[in-house]
Amino acid sequence: MEDNAKQRRRFTRRDVFTASASAAAVLGAAGLPVLATGTPALADTPSNTEGDRGRGLRAEPLIPSRNRGIILYSVRDRITAAPDNSGVPYGFERVLARLAEIGYKEIEFAGYTQHTSLLGRQITPKEIRKVLDDNGLVANGTHTQINPATFDKEMDIAQELGMRNIGTGGDPANTSYKSDWDAAADTWNELGRRAKARGLRLYTHNHDSAYSFLLDAGPSDANGKPTRSSGKRRLEYFFDKTDPRYVFFEMDIYWAYVARYKHRTYTDRWGRQQTDLFDPILTVAPRTTRFPLFHAKDGNRNTAVPDGHDMVVFGEGDINFQQFFQTIGEQDFHHANWEHDGAPGGPGAPGQSIDFAASSYANMSELTIYRR
């Protein structure tokens, strides 16, 4: 097997010019927002003489450095590790210092605990905030439980940590029935209103099932539940039922492309099978400012596995992040948190998750937009 470092594909200037014209054309035809200053091929600029090629263009990061983050779930093995002799950082203080050294500016939390042997007790949110501040890091969100009974306490922690967004990694409703999503929308509108009153944004994060089809049509089953679909997807229905002032979203880009692969057919109210291809870009673009956060998670297409993709280090897969982030626009508004669910390497490779974080940051930083 080749060394992992040799296998890793880094973004190059050739990659930077990957065409996003087809998606942009569809958006423009639909009257949707498209970044006006797209990435032209240098040969297509007004003058293609050697001396003038590229004149007037300037390169800018597609994802601004201040908006590049990581969800700590990716390095959960090292956040929760007891002190060891591996030479790999452990606990909040050491791991966050290493992430800042790599270049990350933002942190999305996935729990607030570390191994109690480090302090002889559990670390507090106030102590975590000091670690953030000492390393020039900003908390941009969290995956926690969104429950009306505990929501004030969760907002207290979020504000202690200085974060702008508070969210969850689970669906607002874990069913296919419209009535359940209606009830969830009522709850989330109210919680989102409470969050906004405290200067926070409430968000939910998707897995592939969030973009599967509602059961909202056709004959009912024995329990009176509908058995067929109008073709509306769960989370897209939730977009329309929630107030855009109060409820926001974090698209996990990898799981969105898994949904594109897995959830493409439904049975309509008349019992006919219909096909509808999910498009992550066209889902975000019409409501791009409802997506302050993204999980920048990469994958390689593999139809031999149920999800149709294998999760890989950012920049090693075939998801076109250049096209995605350039086409949805609003570069300054969006925050990209790197994630890889399987980054921890276990006892045999204790440094793997940190190594993956470093490689992914380097590849993310090389995404470039060219402007005139």
Side-chain angles (χ1 to χ4, degrees):
M1 181 180 295
E2 291 183 337
D3 183 81
N4 284 343
K6 292 180 180 178
Q7 291 180 333
R8 288 186 181 142
R9 179 178 65 81
R10 295 288 297 277
F11 283 105
T12 66
R13 288 188 180 272
R14 183 185 297 263
D15 297 316
V16 163
F17 289 119
T18 299
S20 60
S22 60
V26 173
L27 289 167
L32 300 177
V34 182
L35 188 65
T37 51
T39 305
L42 293 182
D44 294 333
T45 54
S47 173
N48 60 6
T49 62
E50 190 65 34
D52 289 339
R53 186 170 296 165
R55 180 173 295 174
L57 289 177
R58 67 182 188 278
E60 297 178 1
L62 185 57
I63 301 171
S65 60
R66 63 184 176 278
N67 291 359
R68 296 177 206 147
I70 178 174
I71 182 168
L72 295 183
Y73 185 73
S74 301
V75 292
R76 60 194 180 277
D77 59 323
R78 301 314 303 172
I79 291 289
T80 59
D84 57 34
N85 297 319
S86 67
V88 183
Y90 52 82
F92 279 108
E93 183 175 4
R94 292 168 179 81
V95 173
L96 265 59
R98 175 61 183 133
L99 295 176
E101 183 179 59
I102 289 169
Y104 288 102
K105 301 298 184 187
E106 298 193 327
I107 300 295
E108 185 180 24
F109 285 86
Y112 309 118
T113 60
Q114 62 181 13
H115 203 281
T116 54
S117 65
L118 275 69
L119 297 175
R121 57 173 173 80
Q122 194 49 257
I123 194 170
T124 67
K126 183 176 181 179
E127 290 168 327
I128 297 174
R129 174 63 184 270
K130 185 177 186 305
V131 175
L132 290 170
D133 292 346
D134 288 348
N135 289 283
L137 295 168
V138 174
N140 69 14
T142 184
H143 281 195
T144 189
Q145 296 295 317
I146 302 301
N147 185 320
T150 59
F151 194 52
D152 284 331
K153 180 181 178 181
E154 294 296 338
M155 288 194 292
D156 290 342
I157 295 172
Q159 291 191 308
E160 179 76 65
L161 293 170
M163 67 182 62
R164 177 71 177 85
N165 308 285
I166 181 170
T168 180
D171 283 346
N174 291 313
T175 80
S176 298
Y177 301 115
K178 185 167 69 172
S179 59
D180 295 324
W181 286 87
D182 287 339
D186 290 341
T187 299
W188 276 65
N189 280 331
E190 173 57 22
L191 295 180
R193 184 192 62 77
R194 288 164 56 185
K196 184 176 181 179
R198 293 182 58 168
L200 296 166
R201 285 185 297 227
L202 174 63
Y203 70 95
T204 184
H205 163 279
N206 67 276
H207 293 90
D208 70 275
S209 61
Y211 289 112
S212 63
F213 297 98
L214 284 174
L215 293 176
D216 60 346
S220 299
D221 63 16
N223 296 314
K225 298 288 190 179
T227 58
R228 296 173 184 169
S229 181
S230 66
K232 193 75 171 179
R233 297 177 186 272
R234 298 183 192 184
L235 203 56
E236 292 183 331
Y237 179 74
F238 196 66
F239 293 157
D240 297 333
K241 294 295 292 185
T242 50
D243 192 320
R245 297 173 297 175
Y246 304 141
V247 179
F248 297 84
F249 302 91
E250 175 183 64
M251 177 175 275
D252 186 304
I253 299 170
Y254 172 87
W255 289 117
Y257 279 94
V258 170
R260 180 181 176 88
Y261 172 78
K262 289 176 64 175
H263 306 299
R264 59 177 61 203
T265 62
Y266 64 93
T267 302
D268 70 16
R269 66 178 69 249
W270 297 281
R272 301 173 303 197
Q273 182 167 290
Q274 303 289 351
T275 299
D276 180 77
L277 190 63
F278 177 68
D279 193 313
I281 292 175
L282 296 181
T283 296
V284 173
R287 53 184 71 85
T288 189
T289 54
R290 293 193 77 180
F291 286 84
L293 301 175
F294 292 88
H295 274 187
K297 182 189 299 179
D298 207 350
N300 271 321
R301 187 70 177 268
N302 179 5
T303 57
V305 299
D307 288 335
H309 298 76
D310 292 319
M311 202 175 296
V312 297
V313 169
F314 187 95
E316 292 184 10
D318 51 27
I319 294 176
N320 192 335
F321 290 97
Q322 176 74 33
Q323 180 189 61
F324 184 93
F325 283 109
Q326 183 170 330
T327 306
I328 66 171
E330 299 290 347
Q331 273 68 36
D332 291 331
F333 177 76
H334 296 134
H335 300 253
N337 292 322
W338 171 70
E339 185 181 34
H340 187 314
D341 298 359
Q352 178 173 286
S353 61
I354 300 293
D355 290 344
F356 280 12
S359 297
S360 294
Y361 182 84
N363 289 342
M364 188 187 300
S365 69
E366 291 181 11
L367 287 171
T368 306
I369 184 169
Y370 288 77
R371 302 182 189 272
R372 286 200 175 278

